Amino acid sequence: MLSEIFWAGTSAFLYYNKEKYPFPLNVADFQKSSLEVQSLCGLQLLLTAYLGIKVILRVFYDRNPLETTSQLLAVFWGQEKRRKIKVDNFIDEYNNMHKSDVKTRETGYQKLVNAYYELATQFYEWGWGQSFHFASRMKDETFGQSIKRHEYYLGGRLNVGKGSKILDCGCGIGGPMRNIARFTQSNVVGVTINEYQVIRGNEINKQVGLEGCCKSVQGDFMKLPFPENHFDAAYAIEATCHAPSRVDCFRGILKTLKPGGVFACYEWTLTDKYDPKNAEHRRIKKWIEEGDGLPDMATSREVAKALKEAGFELVEERDMIDDEHINIPWYQPLTPSYNILSQRFQFTPIGLVLTRVALKLMEYLYLAPKGTCKVQAMLQHAAVGLREGGELGIFTPMFLLVARKPLKSNEKK
């Protein structure tokens, strides 16, 4: 926005002062003109070129990589001082937690998940947008359109009317919350364990004028800070995989719902193709857990069983990767591409090296906190695991579960 204002101001200045600062029409006139004229015209040409590139990028891409990168750099600047953290210490501590056994990770899940999102959120928003989840794509559908369709479909399964109260379990920075609030005309409260995500989510809510119907709060979805029978519906998108016990997590959600309320979610699960005796399968599972802040992954059957054990009536369960009319798989954004304007470029051999060198240089120049390069390496490691899991069909990020709280609740205390 500032570049557009600056361009307009420079254009107006040159127009109203065209006699004093005549715009050269060719190279010869430019060379003969004064230093002032050369500087002003050069600046105007640079701004015009920059704005032209922005327009082209908006036509052909969902998001402008120039803008998102500048926003990432702005967040990096002073991150540690604002958040009162040391990124290098955080990433080392996080990696050490993943060297421990599953029981230890489950016991320390709060620290594990909070540390992960403190480190990863900025990179997620830069590379993915405000909705931190996957979606398969249909023909002629952009990435952004597929993300919204994925969210709208889940919102449509909640069976809510205008003005309903909805809970978003694991809301991130609120991309799905805002889209589902618009789609259902409801009021959505999102809960996330990470303070930075709460701050950022509410900041965006205010920017887009949705602070009256969307709110992020800090909390643990294993101990939800809401009264019983409070919400008309609830949903989770690729979030409850962080829970150390899905039964306890689902039981807490059940308590906050009114009788008859619907809970719908997309779950990260291991499919029936996963073989625990297969060394490659185990390695992929471990890479996903390490790179995505997960204590341990469950199978699709285990998650469905946990919902019923928590007291829900299971309405539907299915893997949405099997849906018809899907032309581009969910893991395509994690595959390499030599389009330098795509975030997929970072997964190419050249992109991996350039990304590492660029971040190391930024750390050296104090443009990014020390440890940033380690965080990016962790996320790229996860991307490889996710892509391989998707290609082999042993992992899905969109196992759909729709459940209902019984009118006469049989929830277990």
Side-chain angles (χ1 to χ4, degrees):
M1 185 63 184
L2 287 176
S3 57
E4 284 90 339
I5 295 173
F6 198 30
W7 178 85
T10 308
S11 300
F13 178 81
L14 288 172
Y15 178 79
Y16 288 110
N17 294 275
K18 54 189 174 184
E19 292 184 1
K20 186 177 179 181
Y21 303 108
F23 198 93
L25 300 178
N26 52 55
V27 176
D29 289 345
F30 181 80
Q31 291 174 337
K32 294 176 184 177
S33 60
S34 67
L35 182 60
E36 280 183 306
V37 171
Q38 290 179 357
S39 299
L40 284 168
C41 292
L43 177 61
Q44 183 69 355
L45 288 172
L46 283 173
L47 285 170
T48 302
Y50 173 72
L51 293 176
I53 292 171
K54 284 181 69 174
V55 170
I56 293 170
L57 291 173
R58 283 173 181 166
V59 170
F60 292 102
Y61 296 92
D62 287 332
R63 302 166 65 239
N64 184 341
L66 298 178
E67 286 185 352
T68 54
T69 301
S70 65
Q71 289 167 3
L72 178 68
L73 294 175
V75 173
F76 275 161
W77 186 261
Q79 176 196 10
E80 293 186 317
K81 185 176 180 180
R82 288 192 305 273
R83 300 293 304 133
K84 297 181 174 62
I85 63 169
K86 288 290 182 183
V87 170
D88 201 39
N89 293 344
F90 252 60
I91 183 62
D92 286 342
E93 190 173 354
Y94 173 83
N95 288 333
N96 287 335
M97 280 190 281
H98 260 292
K99 292 176 183 177
S100 61
D101 56 25
V102 172
K103 187 65 178 177
T104 302
R105 295 201 302 272
E106 287 180 343
T107 303
Y109 77 93
Q110 288 178 312
K111 195 172 187 179
L112 177 74
V113 176
N114 184 58
Y116 174 77
Y117 280 110
E118 189 72 43
L119 296 167
T121 295
Q122 294 162 17
F123 282 103
Y124 273 10
E125 189 174 359
W126 169 70
W128 217 255
Q130 296 174 11
S131 295
F132 300 166
H133 63 82
F134 294 102
S136 298
R137 284 166 59 188
M138 298 181 181
K139 187 178 180 180
D140 298 327
E141 188 177 46
T142 67
F143 174 77
Q145 289 168 343
S146 71
I147 289 290
K148 286 186 177 181
R149 171 181 51 76
H150 201 57
E151 294 168 359
Y152 292 159
Y153 180 81
L154 196 69
R157 301 305 303 272
L158 297 178
N159 193 29
V160 293
K162 184 176 181 179
S164 297
K165 290 187 290 187
I166 301 175
L167 171 64
D168 180 337
C169 299
C171 64
I173 60 171
M177 171 170 60
R178 287 181 286 276
N179 287 331
I180 288 177
R182 292 186 186 103
F183 180 73
T184 62
Q185 295 291 293
S186 298
N187 300 301
V188 184
V189 175
V191 62
T192 173
I193 202 168
N194 181 252
E195 183 188 33
Y196 172 73
Q197 291 191 334
V198 172
I199 295 169
R200 180 64 179 143
N202 286 326
E203 182 181 73
I204 300 173
N205 291 342
K206 188 173 182 180
Q207 287 174 359
V208 298
L210 293 176
E211 68 271 28
C213 61
C214 293
K215 182 181 179 182
S216 294
V217 299
Q218 187 175 10
D220 180 357
F221 57 35
M222 298 298 293
K223 303 171 185 175
L224 288 169
F226 308 109
E228 293 187 22
N229 304 319
H230 183 69
F231 292 102
D232 298 293
Y235 68 88
I237 300 179
E238 302 181 22
T240 54
C241 50
H242 292 290
S245 167
R246 280 180 173 78
V247 174
D248 291 340
C249 177
F250 294 151
R251 192 172 289 152
I253 295 170
L254 183 80
K255 287 183 178 180
T256 67
L257 285 175
K258 297 175 182 177
V262 172
F263 171 59
C265 66
Y266 294 131
E267 271 285 341
W268 279 27
T269 66
L270 299 168
T271 71
D272 290 339
K273 293 182 180 180
Y274 175 78
D275 180 3
K277 296 179 182 179
N278 185 307
E280 184 182 17
H281 289 193
R282 292 198 306 271
R283 189 261 306 166
I284 291 172
K285 174 179 179 288
K286 183 63 176 172
W287 281 19
I288 295 173
E289 290 168 350
E290 288 178 346
D292 293 285
L294 308 182
D296 190 26
M297 277 204 291
T299 66
S300 305
R301 296 175 190 271
E302 288 170 340
V303 176
K305 181 181 176 183
L307 261 177
K308 290 185 279 190
E309 190 176 334
F312 277 104
E313 296 174 348
L314 190 56
V315 177
E316 183 180 2
E317 56 172 306
R318 65 184 175 89
D319 192 347
M320 291 190 66
I321 64 171
D322 298 326
D323 285 3
E324 296 181 0
H325 312 301
I326 297 301
N327 299 91
I328 301 175
W330 62 266
Y331 53 82
Q332 188 256 8
L334 303 178
T335 58
S337 168
Y338 282 94
N339 179 351
I340 61 172
L341 295 177
S342 168
Q343 60 90 24
R344 293 169 56 199
F345 178 73
Q346 65 178 302
F347 301 120
T348 65
I350 297 173
L352 289 170
V353 174
L354 289 177
T355 300
R356 184 165 60 251
V357 171
L359 290 175
K360 277 291 185 184
L361 180 61
M362 289 169 62
E363 288 181 15
Y364 179 76
L365 297 174
Y366 298 99
L367 295 175
K370 184 180 179 183
T372 300
C373 191
K374 294 179 186 178
V375 176
Q376 177 65 2
M378 172 193 72
L379 295 175
Q380 287 178 331
H381 192 68
V384 173
L386 290 165
R387 183 182 73 236
E388 292 179 344
E391 289 171 342
L392 291 176
I394 64 172
F395 166 80
T396 177
M398 53 187 70
F399 188 72
L400 172 69
L401 293 138
V402 181
R404 182 184 297 110
K405 181 174 181 175
L407 291 173
K408 186 176 181 181
S409 179
N410 60 346
E411 64 188 65
K412 299 176 183 179
K413 301 293 183 183

